[in-house]
């Protein structure tokens, strides 16, 4: 297999076959991220792509879901995505779904009719690192798009019938900004149809711009209890049926919920942690995190 650079896939793709379509990130300007810092964006040559598919076929000919790796393979053009999707189906005749990371920016150059065609070919299941739906927070994070852009582009996915998943990040708005970020993000997400929402909590690592900004006094990180209160507010303000997974290592207290059914239960659990665990203990946990892998 032709894996180059950082190979990363979400935990919920653990049972998917992994296939490199791209490596690196087309953007690389998010202020909290250093995951692909030293990699240039590269599309896997079709020769390598087919060689990897042939190898997968020899070991897992009945593979039903394939996850294309790279920070955002959906950045490829419609024609390139079409070619690769059809090639996957040539090799893996039982494949039903091809999932991948995508950015809001990657959807802009694709028309709804093209998205519908890609969906028909099996591209379905886009993991979108929105991180926020609040314009002030998006600007602070260096995301390069606005809440209106998220609404417009993900609305196209809804129209095309492409399933997608959002990431929300507590603490990203900085000290004092969590409530605003939670309310505005929940309001935006509730206008759309994410199949589920994955929640991380901002962890500052050396090599990221926000880490440097904090050291220079230009960014004040939110406290741990403020982050839990932010998550509570986010959950309380979501007005859609969706699954929420706040159980990654970056979350001090992992919770999952099907909303709105389990809203009161999960917010109650978060309140209990805030009432019984000290800020110091929570902060010590975050300081010990060396990576999120």
């Amino acid at each position: 297999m032709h894996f180059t650079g950082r190979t990363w896939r979400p935990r919920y793709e653990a049972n998917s076959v992994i296939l490199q379509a791209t490596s690196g990130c087309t953007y690389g300007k998010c202020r909290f991220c250093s995951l692909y810092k030293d990699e240039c964006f590269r599309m896997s040559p079709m020769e390598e792509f087919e060689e990897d598919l042939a190898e997968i076929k020899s070991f897992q000919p009945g593979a039903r879901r394939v996850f294309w790796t790279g920070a955002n393979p959906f950045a490829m053009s419609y024609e390139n995505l079409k070619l690769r999707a059809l090639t996957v189906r040539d090799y893996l005749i039982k494949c039903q779904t091809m999932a991948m990371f995508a950015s809001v920016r990657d959807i802009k150059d694709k028309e709804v009719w093209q998205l519908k065609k890609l969906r028909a070919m099996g591209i379905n299941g886009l993991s979108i690192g929105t991180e926020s739906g609040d314009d002030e927070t998006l600007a602070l994070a260096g995301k390069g798009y606005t809440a209106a852009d998220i609404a417009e582009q993900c609305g196209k996915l809804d129209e095309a019938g492409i399933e997608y998943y959002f990431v929300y990040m507590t603490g990203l708005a900085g000290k004092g900004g969590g409530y605003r970020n939670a309310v505005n993000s929940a309001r935006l997400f509730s206008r759309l149809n994410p199949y589920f929402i994955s929640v991380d909590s901002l962890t500052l690592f050396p090599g990221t711009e926000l880490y440097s900004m904090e050291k220079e006094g230009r960014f004040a990180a939110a406290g741990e209890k403020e982050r839990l209160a932010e998550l509570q507010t986010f959950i309380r303000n979501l007005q859609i049926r969706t699954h929420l997974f706040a159980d990654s290592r970056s979350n001090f207290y992992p919770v999952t919920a099907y909303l709105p059914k389990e809203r009161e239960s999960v917010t109650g659990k978060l309140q209990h942690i805030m009432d019984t665990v000290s800020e110091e203990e929570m902060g010590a946990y975050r300081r010990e995190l060396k990576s999120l892998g």
Side-chain angles (χ1 to χ4, degrees), residues 11-155:
R11 292 181 306 131
Y12 47 82
E13 298 289 354
N15 294 322
S16 303
V17 170
I18 305 299
L19 173 67
Q20 180 169 286
T22 64
S23 56
C25 178
T26 59
Y27 185 64
K29 298 178 184 177
C30 295
R31 293 193 174 106
F32 57 86
C33 180
S34 60
L35 195 60
Y36 302 96
K37 181 180 178 182
D38 298 321
E39 296 179 44
C40 294
F41 180 78
R42 171 184 180 268
M43 291 188 294
S44 295
M46 281 302 298
E47 181 180 358
E48 291 183 4
F49 193 73
E50 290 202 52
E51 287 176 1
D52 288 349
L53 281 169
E55 187 172 344
I56 291 170
K57 182 179 179 179
S58 68
F59 289 98
Q60 293 180 275
R64 293 181 177 274
R65 185 177 177 94
V66 178
F67 184 80
W68 297 10
T69 68
N72 56 327
F74 205 66
M76 291 189 286
S77 69
Y78 164 72
E79 291 297 337
N80 205 333
L81 288 167
K82 174 182 174 181
L83 171 62
R84 290 170 189 263
L86 293 176
T87 303
V88 169
R89 297 184 70 172
D90 284 342
Y91 281 86
L92 304 173
I93 61 174
K94 293 188 178 181
C95 180
Q96 298 176 342
T97 309
M98 288 160 264
M100 67 195 73
F101 286 122
S103 165
V104 171
R105 290 178 299 275
D106 302 337
I107 309 167
K108 284 187 175 183
D109 66 345
K110 297 169 181 71
E111 302 292 336
V112 172
W113 71 265
Q114 293 175 319
L115 294 171
K116 289 180 177 179
K117 290 279 191 181
L118 294 174
R119 173 64 182 87
M121 294 171 204
I123 290 181
N124 193 36
L126 301 182
S127 295
I128 304 175
T130 47
E131 271 76 54
S132 171
D134 171 64
D135 280 336
E136 191 173 335
T137 306
L138 290 168
L140 173 63
K143 292 301 294 183
Y145 49 75
T146 65
D149 292 327
I150 296 172
E152 180 181 0
Q153 301 309 319
C154 292

